[in-house]
Amino acid sequence: CRFKDEVTAENLANLNVTVDGLKYVSEGRFKDAEGNTIATSVAGLKDALKEGEDVILAGDIAVKSSESDSNGYGKTGFNMTNGGTIDGGGNDISINAWATWDSVINTTGGTIKNINVTGGMRGIFVNHNSTNCGKVYLDNVVVDGTVYTISCDQGTNKGLEAINSTFNGWTSYAATLGDVKFTNCNFGEGQGYAYCRPYAPTEFVGCEFETGFTLEPCAAVTFENCTLNGVALTAANIAELVTDTANVTIK
């Protein structure tokens, strides 16, 4: 085959090239027949997130330290700063970066779902220092393999809501995250930690905590229909989970 012009990502897209039935958009980024954005590589996911697209992962994505961006504090695999949705499709995502503020996903708002966050110092880092700030939604997310599961240092009180998810490790977030709600979520040990320290008002609804898990409430915390190792949390046993019951309400 001969091309009049140099083959570049731009003219490949203009030529409507398809790969395995997917239309080529840019390196590692494609569109399926329904118009969904599919990411097959680190570059593809980064490009989609820059444009605030809803994107589906076609497979596992592991970010090398050399491929990382900055979250303003340390390294990050992906900056999700323009909204949108990451649908992991059940795949794994990780970064080989383990300094104090390094993170897998740095988000200022949007939806992350159907994904396993498997490695890096921090899993989901909420950092609302952006022109695009919104609530963070987590749906069917498993964070297991990081040290911190969810963390937030700088926020604008937009809040976070997680459903049907698992957080194994150290979960802690600043008061500026805003109201937080976990529904039907599991909390357990990861990387030697089994701990939660919320500085923002937090609701736990239908959540399960493993034996040995510790929660230190630094803000108002509410438990509704939750269990500790399968046993219903009540006023009689809440001290087995929390370090101080003064900020705790049980429904």
Side-chain angles (χ1 to χ4, degrees):
C1 296
R2 290 189 176 184
F3 292 92
K4 179 180 178 182
D5 300 316
E6 179 185 357
V7 177
T8 65
E10 182 178 2
N11 61 35
L12 277 175
N14 292 335
L15 286 168
N16 292 318
V17 171
T18 60
V19 178
D20 294 332
L22 300 174
K23 181 181 180 297
Y24 180 92
V25 177
S26 62
E27 181 187 349
R29 182 167 55 143
F30 302 84
K31 293 281 188 179
D32 66 14
E34 288 73 41
N36 299 308
T37 297
I38 311 297
T40 63
S41 70
V42 172
L45 181 52
K46 285 184 177 183
D47 286 346
L49 294 176
K50 283 180 183 178
E51 298 183 19
E53 292 184 335
D54 295 344
V55 57
I56 301 169
L57 304 191
D60 297 343
I61 291 186
V63 183
K64 300 174 184 177
S65 180
S66 60
E67 296 175 305
S68 65
D69 291 325
S70 172
N71 59 24
Y73 295 76
K75 296 178 179 179
T76 195
F78 301 97
N79 279 309
M80 187 182 186
T81 55
N82 293 305
T85 297
I86 300 175
D87 185 339
N91 294 298
D92 298 348
I93 190 169
S94 64
I95 185 173
N96 185 20
W98 298 90
T100 300
W101 292 102
D102 295 344
S103 59
V104 181
I105 300 173
N106 173 52
T107 179
T108 64
T111 298
I112 302 169
K113 63 181 183 179
N114 305 324
I115 198 166
N116 306 312
V117 183
T118 61
M121 185 65 178
R122 297 170 191 260
I124 310 295
F125 184 45
V126 183
N127 179 11
H128 280 140
N129 185 19
S130 169
T131 55
N132 182 80
C133 300
K135 191 170 184 177
V136 176
Y137 294 91
L138 307 178
D139 181 2
N140 191 30
V141 172
V142 176
V143 187
D144 188 2
T146 65
V147 176
Y148 285 85
T149 62
I150 299 171
S151 66
C152 171
D153 185 66
Q154 187 168 198
T156 53
N157 297 296
K158 299 297 183 181
L160 178 145
E161 186 169 353
I163 63 172
N164 302 321
S165 296
T166 296
F167 305 99
N168 291 335
W170 185 302
T171 301
S172 183
Y173 38 84
T176 52
L177 177 57
D179 292 346
V180 177
K181 185 175 183 179
F182 296 98
T183 303
N184 298 330
C185 293
N186 297 310
F187 294 83
E189 187 272 333
Q191 292 284 1
Y193 295 97
Y195 199 83
C196 179
R197 182 185 287 163
Y199 289 91
T202 302
E203 292 182 70
F204 297 95
V205 180
C207 293
E208 165 71 11
F209 300 88
E210 289 185 0
T211 298
F213 196 88
T214 299
L215 194 147
E216 181 182 353
C218 297
V221 174
T222 300
F223 297 95
E224 182 177 350
N225 297 325
C226 294
T227 57
L228 176 62
N229 195 32
V231 178
L233 275 175
T234 66
N237 65 3
I238 189 65
E240 296 178 27
L241 174 65
V242 303
T243 58
D244 186 347
T245 61
N247 289 327
V248 171
T249 300
I250 302 174
K251 294 184 178 180

